[in-house]
Amino acid sequence: MTLVSNRPERLAPGSELHSDAGTLRVVAARPHNRRHLVLFEGIDDRGKAEALRGLVLQAAPIDDPDETWVHELIGARVVDQSGVDRGPVAGVVANPAGDLLELADGALVPLCFMVASVRGERIDVDVPEGLFEASG
């Protein structure tokens, strides 16, 4: 299982992960070769585990006022340091060097340029000159 989260408590014993196949409760988990080995309640043999291969698991949102979550970025307007509204965020692209805001017009803005955010409404960015011209 590849974990796409910076929150290790997602795999703490007793935590629940949801999928199209139903809810799975974590019994134990440990990192192994850049992945995680996870034992789920009721999944007690190889056949049952193999049946879950490729299943996408999700967890309930964590209520943490100090964190900004991807779902809070989608739809927010991006405003650059000159006050120009660059449009809404259409998605967030995972990138090994740092995640990117994907704007509705296709422009990509590295998250490292985000300086302020009003949840779900506005994202202020301070970008290098020419970034938006290079994207378009």
Side-chain angles (χ1 to χ4, degrees):
M1 164 187 206
T2 301
L3 181 64
V4 184
S5 177
N6 64 347
R7 305 295 292 251
E9 65 266 30
R10 293 291 194 191
L11 297 178
S15 62
E16 294 183 340
L17 300 173
H18 310 283
S19 73
D20 291 340
T23 300
L24 296 167
R25 184 181 306 271
V26 175
V27 173
R30 66 180 174 90
H32 177 74
N33 293 333
R34 290 185 269 182
R35 293 182 180 245
H36 287 79
L37 297 176
V38 182
L39 176 62
F40 293 107
E41 187 175 280
I43 308 300
D44 50 9
D45 66 41
R46 186 180 187 111
K48 289 179 182 176
E50 287 290 332
L52 298 177
R53 184 182 295 265
L55 189 65
V56 175
L57 303 173
Q58 298 179 328
I62 296 172
D63 185 20
D64 185 341
D66 296 327
E67 292 282 350
T68 301
W69 306 101
V70 169
H71 70 274
E72 296 170 334
L73 300 173
I74 307 298
R77 307 292 301 185
V78 172
V79 178
D80 70 18
Q81 64 268 30
S82 299
V84 176
D85 184 332
R86 297 297 183 161
V89 175
V92 176
V93 178
N95 182 9
D99 292 347
L100 306 165
L101 298 173
E102 180 179 20
L103 305 187
D105 66 1
L108 298 172
V109 180
L111 268 174
C112 63
F113 296 134
M114 185 172 86
V115 293
S117 164
V118 177
R119 292 179 185 253
E121 294 179 27
R122 177 179 167 144
I123 299 168
D124 293 333
V125 296
D126 187 358
V127 299
E129 187 174 327
L131 180 110
F132 289 105
E133 290 72 25
S135 297

